[in-house]
Amino acid sequence: MTTMSFGDLVERLKNAPHGELRRIERETGVNYGTIREIKDGQTKNPRLDTFNALADWCQRNPLTSPDPSREAA
């Protein structure tokens, strides 16, 4: 069971290091395009099984540091 909110999930995806979305796709079975659309805010109400798969993955794989390319100069 997940305790992550949808906003937390989107933030986690936005801060994912380069290439991690493909890893998430491989490990969750959720389509890369769907993951990207959630990250980009195009999908605001994903299916429950999609949300749970992504949230569970994110909780098992915490972000240790933000993507440096997203840091402000």
Side-chain angles (χ1 to χ4, degrees):
M1 175 152 42
T2 185
T3 58
M4 178 176 273
S5 72
F6 182 70
D8 291 340
L9 173 64
V10 171
E11 190 64 27
R12 171 64 173 84
L13 295 175
K14 284 182 177 181
N15 288 312
H18 180 73
E20 188 171 56
L21 297 185
R22 290 288 182 190
R23 176 179 166 215
I24 296 170
E25 176 188 40
R26 283 191 309 274
E27 295 181 10
T28 65
V30 176
N31 180 276
Y32 174 81
T34 299
I35 298 168
R36 194 184 71 244
E37 288 172 357
I38 292 170
K39 177 185 81 80
D40 293 341
Q42 296 172 343
T43 297
K44 297 183 186 330
N45 190 20
R47 291 182 358 202
L48 185 57
D49 62 327
T50 298
F51 171 79
N52 285 337
L54 294 174
D56 289 346
W57 187 93
C58 288
Q59 288 184 325
R60 286 190 316 270
N61 297 276
L63 188 60
T64 55
S65 62
D67 181 350
S69 69
R70 298 188 57 82
E71 296 281 322

